[in-house]
Amino acid sequence: MSLKPIRDEIDEIDKELVELFKRRMECSKKVARFKMENGMQIFNPERENEVLDNVEEEAGEFGGSARLLYSSIMELSRALQHDMLGSGTELKNMINTAEKTVPYTDKNIRVACFGVAGTYAHKAAMKVFPDCEPKFYSPFKSVFEAIRNGEADFGVIPIENSSAGSVTAVYDLMLAHRFYIAAAADIKVDHCLAVKKGASFTDIKKVYSHEQALSQCSDFLNANRQIESESFVSTAASAKMVAEGDDITAAAICSEDAAEKYGLEIIRTGFQNNPNNTTRFIVISRKMYIEPDADKISLSFALPHVTGSLYSTLCRFAAHGLNLTKIESRPRCGKKFEYMFYLDFTGTTADNKILNMLCALSDELVEFSFLGNYREI
């Protein structure tokens, strides 16, 4: 018994399938021309559902798989039609006219930084804008409001941590404001336990820090349950509060820079759960910047609440061999059990295939927003 005869039969079938696929895509071109001449919309959900229902019924026991296969084919067919009709002209114009250089070394640039001096956000701001004098804001929404009101040109905020995951409040604000991401910066996070001068570890009854930092140090806190933890607006603000208070039983989890800045004594370092703990910060702006070496793209969009809608959309990225590095879902405001998706992938809008794909998605998807094409500093 050998598999060769079966494999030979599969090879023959595959040859036929390829030719049939090519014929089908040629028909898609004809459909595109007809729609162009008659001012018709590319996406016709009723027609697509009718085709998919018929395929599923005719495929019998393989109905579900056949529906999935044809859903991908129709998604690719639609993408071809979008390319031919030049969809997404508004987005294409925005991208083509975006600023080409972020003013990293402009001393007059106005930067809104989350927290207070000494935070990891402060460190990220100085990494990106080494000559700036940032102004500090909290909570997160204040950074967005400063940009919205014209008080700041750029904002620096944390978006995710390698241990604690996404900063969901920032994702919600990004989806609400739809600002652009101009750059990103990864900052190594080494937390320390800081107390007032003269206090010792046995004196500590309560520790303050941002909720993300507390999460990143959960192993330490679980091992020392005699110490109560309480979230505060930021790590550096926690250090400042402890330093300015009279309570020697209070401690802060913060950076060494913050502890030194506010005159606290460091009694423990490097106790976060993950020794390679890193926080990613993004630089946001009302203006779109796309530098020539930008290599990451961020999007947000909503999808209809139907089976396979996310899969169908993601198949476009797979067809171009694109690497998705992040996908986050957040509840869609005012919609019951519907979600907004935030997506990151590696790529550049200088690639026409990627640009055309984005333009097609901008015409098709609900609440689509191009959030930026940027690089890590």
Side-chain angles (χ1 to χ4, degrees):
M1 181 67 180
S2 169
L3 284 175
K4 188 176 185 308
I6 303 175
R7 286 174 173 167
D8 288 343
E9 183 179 2
I10 289 174
D11 288 343
E12 286 300 316
I13 294 171
D14 284 345
K15 288 179 182 178
E16 294 177 26
L17 287 175
V18 169
E19 290 303 316
L20 289 172
F21 175 73
K22 288 163 63 177
R23 283 178 57 192
R24 197 186 194 289
M25 295 302 278
E26 288 298 329
C27 286
S28 293
K29 290 181 180 180
K30 295 176 183 177
V31 170
R33 295 187 190 102
F34 183 88
K35 289 179 177 179
M36 187 186 306
E37 292 169 0
N38 292 275
M40 297 172 63
Q41 293 289 324
I42 291 175
F43 185 37
N44 185 338
E46 292 78 16
R47 165 64 179 165
E48 290 198 5
N49 284 328
E50 180 185 344
V51 171
L52 292 174
D53 289 343
N54 290 337
V55 165
E56 185 171 3
E57 184 177 351
E58 291 178 11
E61 65 174 302
F62 307 111
S65 299
R67 188 182 188 97
L68 187 64
L69 171 63
Y70 273 77
S71 177
S72 297
I73 291 174
M74 295 175 81
E75 192 77 26
L76 297 172
S77 172
R78 224 182 307 127
L80 175 63
Q81 293 179 44
H82 277 294
D83 287 352
M84 291 182 63
L85 270 65
S87 298
T89 54
E90 182 179 353
L91 176 61
K92 188 170 292 187
N93 289 337
M94 289 170 57
I95 289 173
N96 288 336
T97 58
E99 297 285 342
K100 299 297 187 289
T101 306
V102 178
Y104 300 112
T105 57
D106 185 346
K107 294 181 180 180
N108 297 317
I109 205 72
R110 298 171 302 165
V111 178
C113 184
F114 168 68
V116 298
T119 59
Y120 293 104
H122 186 191
K123 191 172 184 178
M126 299 314 297
K127 181 178 181 181
V128 178
F129 302 104
D131 299 319
C132 81
E133 293 185 9
K135 187 175 180 181
F136 298 96
Y137 296 82
S138 62
F140 291 132
K141 67 177 182 179
S142 296
V143 176
F144 285 81
E145 289 168 356
I147 296 173
R148 175 71 69 191
N149 298 335
E151 297 173 29
D153 303 304
F154 296 95
V156 179
I157 49 172
I159 191 73
E160 63 179 322
N161 175 266
S162 59
S163 298
S166 301
V167 185
T168 55
V170 171
Y171 277 102
D172 291 340
L173 287 164
M174 285 294 296
L175 296 176
H177 290 269
R178 309 298 173 98
F179 292 150
Y180 300 111
I181 302 174
D186 287 357
I187 299 296
K188 180 76 163 55
V189 175
D190 287 311
H191 291 307
C192 73
L193 187 65
V195 297
K196 293 183 71 68
K197 296 286 186 181
S200 66
F201 183 78
T202 55
D203 292 323
I204 301 174
K205 293 183 179 179
K206 182 178 283 190
V207 63
Y208 298 88
S209 195
H210 188 270
E211 60 184 357
Q212 282 270 325
L214 295 175
S215 175
Q216 294 159 25
C217 299
S218 59
D219 290 347
F220 167 80
L221 294 172
N222 288 333
N224 294 277
R225 292 189 176 274
Q226 76 280 8
I227 300 176
E228 183 184 352
S229 62
E230 185 171 321
S231 62
F232 207 64
V233 290
S234 72
T235 54
S238 302
K240 186 173 186 289
M241 184 267 292
V242 170
E244 292 176 349
D246 298 322
D247 188 0
I248 65 167
T249 69
I253 293 177
C254 60
S255 68
E256 293 187 20
D257 289 346
E260 293 173 4
K261 179 176 180 61
Y262 297 109
L264 295 179
E265 187 172 337
I266 298 171
I267 58 174
R268 189 163 300 189
T269 60
F271 57 91
Q272 61 270 7
N273 301 354
N274 180 0
N276 296 315
N277 191 19
T278 302
T279 295
R280 173 161 293 149
F281 292 84
I282 55 174
V283 178
I284 57 175
S285 173
R286 291 183 68 179
K287 185 183 292 186
M288 186 189 295
Y289 293 85
I290 302 180
E291 298 186 289
D293 54 352
D295 58 2
K296 176 173 280 190
I297 296 174
S298 293
L299 314 170
S300 69
F301 52 84
L303 290 173
H305 192 54
V306 295
T307 303
S309 59
L310 179 59
Y311 170 85
S312 296
T313 300
L314 296 184
C315 108
R316 302 251 187 117
F317 295 86
H320 289 298
L322 298 173
N323 178 33
L324 272 62
T325 58
K326 179 78 172 181
I327 184 165
E328 184 84 16
S329 65
R330 301 296 302 152
R332 191 177 173 195
C333 184
K335 302 290 184 178
K336 189 176 181 180
F337 300 118
E338 291 189 22
Y339 296 88
M340 292 292 299
F341 291 89
Y342 179 102
L343 187 147
D344 291 341
F345 66 97
T346 53
T348 171
T349 54
D351 184 331
N352 282 329
K353 289 184 179 179
I354 293 177
L355 180 57
N356 289 338
M357 179 193 71
L358 294 175
C359 289
L361 293 176
S362 72
D363 271 10
E364 259 184 49
L365 299 180
V366 180
E367 294 188 44
F368 177 93
S369 285
F370 173 80
L371 299 177
N373 186 190
Y374 53 95
R375 65 185 177 96
E376 183 178 314
I377 305 302

